[in-house]
Amino acid sequence: MTIQYRITNAKECFDRIIKLFDEHYKELSVTQELKLNPDYDVYFNADKKNLVKVVLCEDDSELVGYIVFFVGPNLHYKDCLLATEDIYYLKPEYRKGRIGIKMFKFAEEYLKSIGINMIRYSTKTHLDNSRLFEYLGCNFIEKVFIKRIQ
């Protein structure tokens, strides 16, 4: 096992990430009555503007995890550059040890190196990763509610 972390762009890696989306969706989605149907054009257009950053976690070049961030000015604090985590996933068999922690720390070091000074993460309530984010030094500041309108 040789774990490597790297930064890439959406266009270069989404064909690989898509192969993990089904696993990711089945495990984490709370809206499975909705068909998974990402708007890749939004990702690729944001990518062209350098507003998407993708962290890959690979084991001997096999993709085993990823984090996708949207980056840009914080709308409430224009002097603050914000990275908002869009999605993250690590295959269950790689969640032992520190592989996931290292993936997030790698992402944070990269984001810091490009001038990001705030990261916003989220976690599902049914698969709560709060302990991970607390370990990484994050503060719990907000709850989010979703309501389906039919």
Side-chain angles (χ1 to χ4, degrees):
M1 177 187 307
T2 304
I3 301 296
Q4 294 183 313
Y5 307 95
R6 67 183 179 95
I7 306 299
T8 188
N9 60 55
K11 191 78 169 168
E12 188 248 303
C13 72
F14 264 43
D15 59 330
R16 296 177 67 206
I17 288 177
I18 289 167
K19 294 175 184 172
L20 293 181
F21 271 2
D22 195 45
E23 279 179 59
H24 185 165
Y25 176 74
K26 286 178 183 171
E27 180 180 1
L28 294 172
S29 177
V30 294
T31 54
Q32 291 195 10
E33 68 276 8
L34 298 173
K35 179 185 171 209
L36 181 62
N37 187 17
D39 190 340
Y40 296 111
D41 289 337
V42 169
Y43 286 96
F44 298 146
N45 287 332
D47 197 39
K48 286 178 192 172
K49 297 174 184 173
N50 205 26
L51 300 175
V52 177
K53 304 298 178 190
V54 182
V55 175
L56 300 181
C57 177
E58 299 168 313
D59 181 3
D60 293 325
S61 77
E62 175 195 349
L63 182 64
V64 298
Y66 51 83
I67 312 172
V68 178
F69 295 95
F70 281 89
V71 299
N74 185 318
L75 295 177
H76 299 170
Y77 312 99
K78 68 180 183 180
D79 297 327
C80 177
L81 288 177
L82 174 68
T84 301
E85 164 266 311
D86 177 50
I87 54 175
Y88 59 91
Y89 183 72
L90 186 62
K91 285 184 167 189
E93 60 269 30
Y94 289 88
R95 295 178 193 166
K96 304 171 187 93
R98 301 181 57 82
I99 294 170
I101 290 169
K102 288 179 181 178
M103 179 172 68
F104 279 92
K105 285 188 172 193
F106 177 85
E108 289 181 10
E109 285 299 313
Y110 169 72
L111 294 169
K112 181 179 178 181
S113 79
I114 62 167
I116 299 297
N117 44 24
M118 185 180 291
I119 303 172
R120 180 182 178 130
Y121 292 114
S122 61
T123 187
K124 302 290 187 194
T125 56
H126 72 285
L127 218 117
D128 191 344
N129 287 314
S130 294
R131 286 182 50 209
L132 166 66
F133 296 122
E134 289 167 355
Y135 178 83
L136 292 171
C138 300
N139 297 311
F140 177 57
I141 61 164
E142 185 173 46
K143 289 185 180 183
V144 176
F145 293 84
I146 299 286
K147 180 178 182 178
R148 285 280 316 271
I149 300 175
Q150 303 278 339

